[in-house]
Amino acid sequence: MEEAKLRQLLNSLTIEEKIGQLVQLSGEFYNASDISMGPQRKLGITQRMVDLSGSVLNVAGARQIHRLQEAHLAKGGHAIPLLFMSDIVYGYKTVYPIPLGMGASWDPALIKKAYENAAEEAYAGGQQVAFAPMVDLVHDARWGRVLESTGEDPYLNAQFAKAMVGGFQSGLKNGKGIVSCVKHFAGYGAVEAGREYNSADMSISNLYQDYLPSYKAAVQAGAKMVMTSLTTLNGVPATADKWLLSDLLRKQWGFNGVVISDYASIYELTQHGFAADEQDAAYKALDAGVDIDMKSPCYANGLKPLLADGRLSEKKIDAAVWRVLSLKNELCLFEDPFRGSSEALEKANLLTPAKRQLARRVSQEAMVLLKNQRHLLPLDRSSHHQVALIGPYADEYKMLGLWAIHGDPKDTITFKQGVGEYLDASRLTVEKGTDIIRDADFFAESGRPEDQANSQISDSATEKKHHDSAIAAAKRADIIIFAGGEHTLQSGEAGSRTKLRLPDNQQRLLDELATLGKPVISVIISGRPLVLTDVLADSDAVIQAWFPGIEGGHALADIIFGAYNPSGRLSMSMPAVEGQAPIYYNHLSTGRPEKTSQHVGRFVSRYTDAPTGPLFPFGYGLSYGEVTYHQPTIDQSQISSAQSVTISVPVENAGDIDRTETIQLYLHDEVASIVQPVKRLIDFKREVIPAGKTVTVSFEVKAQQLGFYNQRGEYVIEPGKFELMVGPNSDETQAVEFSLKD
Ligand code: NOJ
């Protein structure tokens, strides 16, 4: 529709019709099956407002979406099509590994393709907006939503943010694809103590330096929507933060798309004690810059009285409605309210072999080999070993993670199926050994009927049978593969934990398996970095598989039997004990650093009862074969602000197998007006290093990359000495020095 006509449409709307465009409701309001996750309460809004609402949350499938859209349009009046929005966080039907696994791929180009595929599936099914990517930077493995993040590094996260937004939206130019709604703006990943929905507090320099870059990258990549965070940032709820939503996002970054609240977060302003009542909450959110109210009664009931009181101007409401109508118009909904979606298109596009193939690749790249003693892996499939695959994830298809709400776990290739494609049935025994978790209270709290204990906890006789069969199988085998990890409900939204270990029953089983004197390979499923000290002690090899997506079984078997040489590198540090959290590699230099302090003994920055460093650092991961990073060189020792330096490092593969290395480049500013991180990632390259070859990898670093954000949020570059550090992970780096002239 032409802009002038759209203006006419806006001007012809009644105030109720306008407000309706700013209200988003979930499926149950339209007699549709509802897959939203969040607290339920009676909203107390009128049927008229339901009829006028402008968008729908988490209703899936072309058939349902068509039915709702048709019924809505048949109501007459201005018949403005509904916008269908949904959580398509890491895949639609073809579910990929969780984003924390995608982060470990260090391969944004591949992830972009995955999001293109997800968009193609979702578009076919009638979805128009994905509530993703979630680009919150994370430091604290206690927080369940680290599952949805690509990790702890601002630079790496920004690359993924760009890739994911680009993937979702790349079809838009051809009238396909879906809109990306980046979330949760801003700082949700910094919730204190890793406790869900808690507050976040940080300095301005920290906010700009670490937390904002990924949102900014998403906005610069063209994300057409932004979702606010449920939490407070420096004392102000993000959903009513005028500085954040209007000054920074719209004015400084030039964002002109639609801002939506998170689920009920406008109503929750009253719970925060930031708004006196729902009407006050509506005022504060709209005034701050929130266009759409997701699943709360505040806009539906509060905006009209605010207008009548003169507290709010119609101009302000019009501006928000205009943005919503413009988005609908951009998607050509006025011409085709279904955007070409259909059940037939769905059938043709969902879970195609090519899409599954890509999911297998993402899953391979996401898995991280943490330990491989005496080169136990890869296994030689042609040897005559007997393999016992044991553990609650040995043959479990529910390994998609909490946010795969559109995926069907039954589409998953289990580990048993994957390994079974490499090994003859006579050489493979599969035993569950124990349940994933044996704690009835845990399930009681989940609140979902399908997750109740009785369907998940075996009675003690069955449990004993599982255990005894597993031990017997292990005794007969030459090699044990243990597959264990977190239950789906232990991570994801509202999945904060203080104990980050394997459930006790699983650890006991693994301990027992380890006493049998056979080689043990442990495969860990989780939505977060767990504390794996006990697992490492029991195992000769360990693979961190995350929630690996529907192709997890294939990917794991490909790695175990060497069809894929593991290349994953952690994008989040793995703590050695829970008490270290939050732990991350790019922390500031302290005055009393543990290793390089001139002070001796007690008075340095460390714990008295645990190591200071992580179990595995950011960037860490093993591959098969051997590589050596030789001494890096730099082409200049001094540059001016208009120049750049090039650092080069020869990487030698002395082994007999090709491998993919992620060569990581870190920077340290030696003296600055704000204390700088000990190192921070500024670039990386994923390169295949062929067997027997040395590849020299170079990075050009421009003076412009040497700056940091000060306490006013300004990017400043200060002359002086810098170190460039290059290596296979954030810990094992070699440094060269140069300086930037005045
Ligand atoms: C709440 C979550 O915080 C958000 O990520 C999600 O998009 C909405 N619910 C909608 O399901």
Side-chain angles (χ1 to χ4, degrees):
M1 183 185 295
E2 279 168 20
E3 199 179 310
K5 275 186 93 183
L6 196 67
R7 276 270 166 225
Q8 271 172 21
L9 173 65
L10 171 66
N11 294 336
S12 69
L13 299 180
T14 64
I15 187 64
E16 284 86 5
E17 286 171 331
K18 287 179 183 174
I19 293 170
Q21 291 304 307
L22 309 182
V23 173
Q24 175 164 107
L25 299 171
S26 49
E28 78 269 20
F29 286 86
Y30 312 88
N31 292 325
S33 56
D34 183 33
I35 44 172
S36 36
M37 291 202 289
Q40 301 296 337
R41 61 187 278 270
K42 276 248 164 300
L43 291 196
I45 65 174
T46 60
Q47 185 55 43
R48 168 108 179 108
M49 229 355 125
V50 175
D51 292 345
L52 291 176
S53 61
S55 57
V56 183
L57 153 74
N58 282 342
V59 164
R63 178 190 296 219
Q64 245 197 142
I65 286 180
H66 279 233
R67 180 172 64 74
L68 261 61
Q69 190 73 289
E70 275 159 16
H72 178 75
L73 295 174
K75 284 177 193 147
H78 287 284
I80 300 171
L82 288 162
L83 255 179
F84 289 90
M85 310 194 189
S86 197
D87 288 293
I88 302 158
V89 184
Y90 44 98
Y92 186 67
K93 288 290 176 199
T94 305
V95 178
Y96 300 96
I98 56 169
L100 197 56
M102 294 189 186
S105 75
W106 292 61
D107 193 351
L110 179 77
I111 299 310
K112 183 173 183 203
K113 283 192 209 134
Y115 278 72
E116 265 168 24
N117 282 357
E120 199 175 286
E121 289 190 335
Y123 161 83
Q127 300 292 346
Q128 295 146 0
V129 175
F131 291 138
M134 181 282 216
V135 300
D136 303 325
L137 182 132
V138 291
H139 284 163
D140 197 329
R142 290 173 296 181
W143 192 43
R145 299 195 84 167
V146 304
L147 174 154
E148 290 170 65
S149 167
T150 50
E152 75 188 37
D153 184 73
Y155 177 76
L156 188 60
N157 284 359
Q159 308 312 308
F160 282 113
K162 202 160 90 185
M164 291 169 174
V165 171
F168 274 140
Q169 296 193 164
S170 73
L172 290 181
K173 52 186 181 302
N174 305 319
K176 297 183 177 165
I178 55 176
V179 163
S180 169
C181 176
V182 60
K183 66 190 188 187
H184 308 85
F185 196 58
Y188 190 5
V191 282
E192 218 169 80
R195 182 160 55 75
E196 186 62 296
Y197 314 128
N198 206 1
S199 349
D201 250 75
M202 65 181 78
S203 72
I204 289 296
S205 132
N206 189 202
L207 176 66
Y208 274 87
Q209 188 70 35
D210 290 340
Y211 287 86
L212 292 180
S214 50
Y215 307 111
K216 191 174 178 185
V219 167
Q220 285 175 342
K224 292 182 187 296
M225 282 188 66
V226 168
M227 185 190 294
T228 65
S229 172
L230 292 159
T231 48
T232 57
L233 176 63
N234 299 337
V236 180
T239 300
D241 190 334
K242 203 167 186 171
W243 172 76
L244 201 59
L245 303 178
S246 293
D247 297 349
L248 181 71
L249 180 66
R250 292 207 189 275
K251 291 196 194 115
Q252 281 189 42
W253 293 358
F255 176 73
N256 57 11
V258 173
V259 174
I260 186 167
S261 76
D262 198 349
Y263 192 104
S265 70
I266 299 185
Y267 155 73
E268 287 167 17
L269 295 175
T270 62
Q271 305 294 299
H272 278 296
F274 193 79
D277 51 32
E278 292 180 5
Q279 193 170 312
D280 192 31
Y283 172 78
K284 287 183 169 142
L286 192 86
D287 188 54
V290 179
D291 300 319
I292 299 181
D293 178 357
M294 184 199 295
K295 199 75 199 284
S296 109
C298 298
Y299 279 11
N301 297 339
L303 291 184
K304 205 172 161 197
L306 283 166
L307 200 63
D309 286 359
R311 195 170 172 208
L312 201 66
S313 71
E314 188 155 355
K315 210 167 131 218
K316 192 103 195 175
I317 295 181
D318 282 0
V321 177
W322 177 250
R323 286 190 283 266
V324 174
L325 292 179
S326 300
L327 184 63
K328 292 186 175 183
N329 195 32
E330 242 187 286
L331 294 175
C332 298
L333 288 180
F334 295 103
E335 286 78 22
D336 174 6
F338 309 105
R339 288 188 75 227
S341 64
S342 69
E343 283 183 76
L345 196 68
E346 234 173 2
K347 238 196 194 124
N349 275 283
L350 302 185
L351 288 163
T352 60
K355 289 198 175 83
R356 273 194 169 276
Q357 193 52 40
L358 190 83
R360 182 171 185 161
R361 180 70 187 190
V362 178
S363 194
Q364 290 167 339
E365 291 196 11
M367 291 187 185
V368 184
L369 179 63
L370 296 173
K371 178 176 179 181
N372 192 18
Q373 211 158 285
R374 292 184 299 278
H375 304 287
L376 173 60
L377 290 171
L379 298 183
D380 179 0
R381 65 191 290 197
S382 58
S383 76
H384 294 287
H385 289 137
Q386 285 290 328
V387 174
L389 173 57
I390 292 173
Y393 277 108
D395 191 19
E396 173 59 66
Y397 56 81
K398 286 189 196 149
M399 46 180 195
L400 301 183
L402 195 77
W403 265 119
I405 58 174
H406 301 285
D408 183 349
K410 299 219 173 72
D411 291 324
T412 303
I413 304 292
T414 68
F415 291 156
K416 176 184 174 185
Q417 287 169 307
V419 172
E421 288 183 21
Y422 283 86
L423 285 186
D424 201 90
S426 64
R427 290 177 47 210
L428 176 66
T429 317
V430 181
E431 291 293 345
K432 179 175 175 175
T434 186
D435 296 325
I436 297 178
I437 197 165
R438 289 185 60 73
D439 174 357
D441 294 343
F442 170 77
F443 291 108
E445 280 182 2
S446 95
R448 305 196 312 184
E450 69 271 30
D451 295 320
Q452 292 315 305
N454 51 11
S455 63
Q456 311 220 13
I457 302 184
S458 318
D459 60 58
S460 47
T462 313
E463 173 73 0
K464 182 167 182 328
K465 216 173 93 211
H466 286 152
H467 168 268
D468 294 350
S469 315
I471 298 298
K475 283 184 176 159
R476 288 193 306 271
D478 305 298
I479 292 171
I480 299 167
I481 304 177
F482 169 78
E486 282 189 310
H487 190 278
T488 302
L489 293 173
Q490 288 184 297
S491 53
E493 185 171 348
S496 293
R497 295 176 69 190
T498 59
K499 298 183 197 75
L500 304 180
R501 318 224 166 193
L502 280 187
D504 293 344
N505 55 309
Q506 290 190 44
Q507 186 61 52
R508 275 196 302 273
L509 175 64
L510 179 58
D511 290 347
E512 197 177 343
L513 294 172
T515 62
L516 302 178
K518 317 264 166 112
V520 175
I521 300 159
S522 287
V523 180
I524 302 301
I525 301 296
S526 67
R528 55 158 60 81
L530 291 172
V531 171
L532 293 180
T533 35
D534 295 341
V535 172
L536 284 169
D538 283 343
S539 318
D540 301 278
V542 177
I543 299 171
Q544 173 65 45
W546 315 111
F547 284 103
I550 59 167
E551 283 291 320
H554 278 145
L556 181 75
D558 294 339
I559 286 177
I560 287 184
F561 295 99
Y564 183 79
N565 189 349
S567 59
R569 304 290 183 253
L570 296 174
S571 64
M572 190 175 178
S573 308
M574 281 198 146
V577 299
E578 289 86 343
Q580 290 180 329
I583 183 166
Y584 49 97
Y585 83 96
N586 50 352
H587 58 84
L588 301 189
S589 303
T590 80
R592 295 182 174 187
E594 186 191 19
K595 291 194 184 126
T596 51
S597 173
Q598 304 294 313
H599 302 299
V600 283
R602 180 179 181 89
F603 299 100
V604 292
S605 179
R606 64 181 181 117
Y607 299 105
T608 56
D609 60 352
T612 317
L615 189 58
F616 294 110
F618 173 80
Y620 178 86
L622 303 174
S623 301
Y624 303 145
E626 299 294 334
V627 293
T628 310
Y629 284 60
H630 293 287
Q631 180 61 41
T633 53
I634 192 162
D635 65 342
Q636 292 177 75
S637 57
Q638 199 180 51
I639 57 167
S640 72
S641 61
Q643 291 177 318
S644 59
V645 282
T646 298
I647 173 172
S648 303
V649 59
V651 183
E652 181 184 354
N653 182 348
D656 54 5
I657 170 169
D658 296 353
R659 60 185 260 171
T660 301
E661 275 300 291
T662 297
I663 301 105
Q664 303 164 29
L665 181 67
Y666 297 88
L667 176 81
H668 175 58
D669 183 345
E670 293 185 14
V671 179
S673 58
I674 287 186
V675 172
Q676 290 300 298
V678 287
K679 57 181 71 164
R680 63 184 165 93
L681 186 77
I682 57 164
D683 207 349
F684 63 90
K685 286 189 177 156
R686 248 181 133 259
E687 297 276 346
V688 176
I689 316 289
K693 292 265 163 30
T694 298
V695 175
T696 297
V697 180
S698 299
F699 297 93
E700 188 193 348
V701 180
K702 298 199 174 76
Q704 193 57 31
Q705 288 168 267
L706 306 177
F708 58 85
Y709 286 92
N710 66 19
Q711 291 297 26
R712 288 184 298 282
E714 299 153 348
Y715 188 73
V716 292
I717 303 167
E718 295 180 349
K721 281 192 184 158
F722 294 85
E723 263 183 310
L724 282 174
M725 290 163 262
V726 67
N729 61 60
S730 63
D731 200 32
E732 297 170 68
T733 54
Q734 302 182 73
V736 286
E737 224 187 39
F738 73 100
S739 56
L740 176 68
K741 281 191 290 206
D742 267 324

